[in-house]
Amino acid sequence: ALTDEGLAVEAFKLVEKGVFMDDKTRELLQSPSQHKGCSGARKPEDNMSDLRAQVAANQKGIALIGELVQEYSLDVVQAYMLHIQDNAEVAVRDLLKRVAAEVSSGKKSSSSPERKRKRGTSSEAASEEVQKGVEERRVTVLGKGKVELCAEDFMDDGTEIRLKVSIDGSKGEAVMNFEGSGFEVMGNCNAPRAVTYSAIIYSLRSMVDKDIPLNQGCLNPIVAQIPKGSILWPSDTAAVVGGNVLTSQRVVDVILKAFGAASASQGCMNNITFGDSKFGYYETIGGGAGAGPTWDGRSGVHTHMTNTRITDVEIMERRYPILVRKFGLREGSG
């Protein structure tokens, strides 16, 4: 359950009237201990330092925004914030229009591998291609600029992640429907809906052919349909720690497969954790990156939803009571 994973905060006032709520925050960090079998923060000083750093970063951001407003006026700053989102929306719409056109015509594209299609007897006849592999990928041409891209993959326990992307090429819009994905699981590989959305926006940003900052505008042409109670939208009490670091990678793999953009990654951030009552170590090790139409795959790298680099051995041994005997790639591994 979620309570087994530690502290979950829905809302908490960290700073009030310019004062950092030190005592209340420390009390909050220890609150999980009220649940049977659970404990509070093992290194609260580290947590407090992280929170203070985040407050300081926000204050710096506020100051910089204030300088922009002072120099250019609030109206201009807000207008350009919207321009950035509008530009991202246009970039994603262009991507969807291009994919729809290339799938309909059967041309090879930078976002999808070359494929042969069966043609119907009329311009509106649906045409479907099934690519055989470990899992199935289907491309269906519906006519009038509309196409469907379908893909699926499976978690290690057999739970399915299924996606159907319905693209309207005339409008540059798409419905990403995850109906048919597996139910919420008893373990911790459930991915909160926000994580599923993060995988969607990351994948779209990766496929556009323009250099744009990641922002909400990327999702404006997208309608995401995620079944409630599934592994991609679990209940509020479900354990989720594995969803962020494992399931999210599988979702990206399925999206990129549907678009024919790249082969799957290792499908996990390859996590390792150990510790005791006084410390905890957690690392995402990385793995392999899938090949694409114009590039080879890579070994021993962090991919997709990871946002960290592996800790240097020197730092690891300095901060934790361990010695590292060997550090390198395991040859012949998957």
Side-chain angles (χ1 to χ4, degrees), residues 87-326:
N87 184 53
E89 178 180 343
V90 170
V92 172
R93 288 189 186 278
D94 288 346
L95 165 70
L96 296 173
K97 290 177 181 179
R98 174 168 57 85
V99 170
E102 291 171 346
V103 169
S104 297
S105 65
K107 292 181 180 179
K108 183 177 179 180
S109 73
S110 58
S111 61
S112 58
E114 186 174 9
R115 46 187 168 262
K116 297 179 181 179
R117 297 174 47 250
K118 299 176 183 177
R119 297 188 178 275
T121 56
S122 68
S123 61
E124 296 185 14
S127 137
E128 184 174 281
E129 174 205 54
V130 177
Q131 298 184 343
K132 299 295 183 180
V134 178
E135 297 86 26
E136 206 173 66
R137 173 180 182 260
R138 296 182 301 280
V139 177
T140 305
V141 179
L142 304 175
K144 295 185 177 179
K146 296 182 179 181
V147 300
E148 285 184 354
L149 315 174
C150 298
E152 59 187 22
D153 201 347
F154 298 87
M155 303 291 288
D156 291 352
D157 65 356
T159 301
E160 185 174 5
I161 298 176
R162 183 182 295 179
L163 172 63
K164 179 173 71 174
V165 184
S166 301
I167 302 177
D168 186 338
S170 63
K171 298 178 180 178
E173 297 176 350
V175 176
M176 302 184 73
N177 188 350
F178 290 90
E179 194 68 40
S181 296
F183 293 111
E184 173 185 321
V185 297
M186 293 294 292
N188 59 21
C189 285
N190 301 292
R193 186 169 58 143
V195 171
T196 305
Y197 270 102
S198 295
I200 292 172
I201 193 172
Y202 162 80
S203 300
L204 293 171
R205 171 61 185 84
S206 299
M207 290 186 288
V208 299
D209 56 2
K210 297 179 176 64
D211 186 12
I212 60 171
L214 187 66
N215 65 81
Q216 182 65 26
C218 293
L219 291 178
N220 287 348
I222 304 296
V223 174
Q225 297 177 343
I226 307 169
K228 196 170 184 178
S230 71
I231 192 174
L232 305 180
W233 187 356
S235 63
D236 293 339
T237 59
V240 295
V241 68
N244 189 42
V245 296
L246 197 162
T247 311
S248 64
Q249 295 282 71
R250 299 292 174 90
V251 175
V252 171
D253 283 344
V254 171
I255 295 172
L256 296 182
K257 174 192 279 187
F259 280 86
S263 299
S265 69
Q266 77 276 10
C268 178
M269 296 183 193
N270 296 341
N271 319 282
I272 182 173
T273 182
F274 58 86
D276 56 22
S277 61
K278 296 182 179 179
F279 82 96
Y281 175 86
Y282 187 95
E283 187 83 83
T284 59
I285 301 174
T294 59
W295 67 89
D296 295 331
R298 292 285 301 277
S299 300
V301 294
H302 283 77
T303 60
H304 301 322
M305 300 298 287
T306 53
N307 61 356
T308 60
R309 296 177 62 185
I310 195 166
T311 305
D312 293 332
V313 170
E314 295 81 3
I315 299 297
M316 192 185 308
E317 293 184 333
R318 179 179 179 182
R319 295 183 178 178
Y320 297 93
I322 62 171
L323 290 175
V324 179
R325 295 181 180 274
K326 185 177 180 180

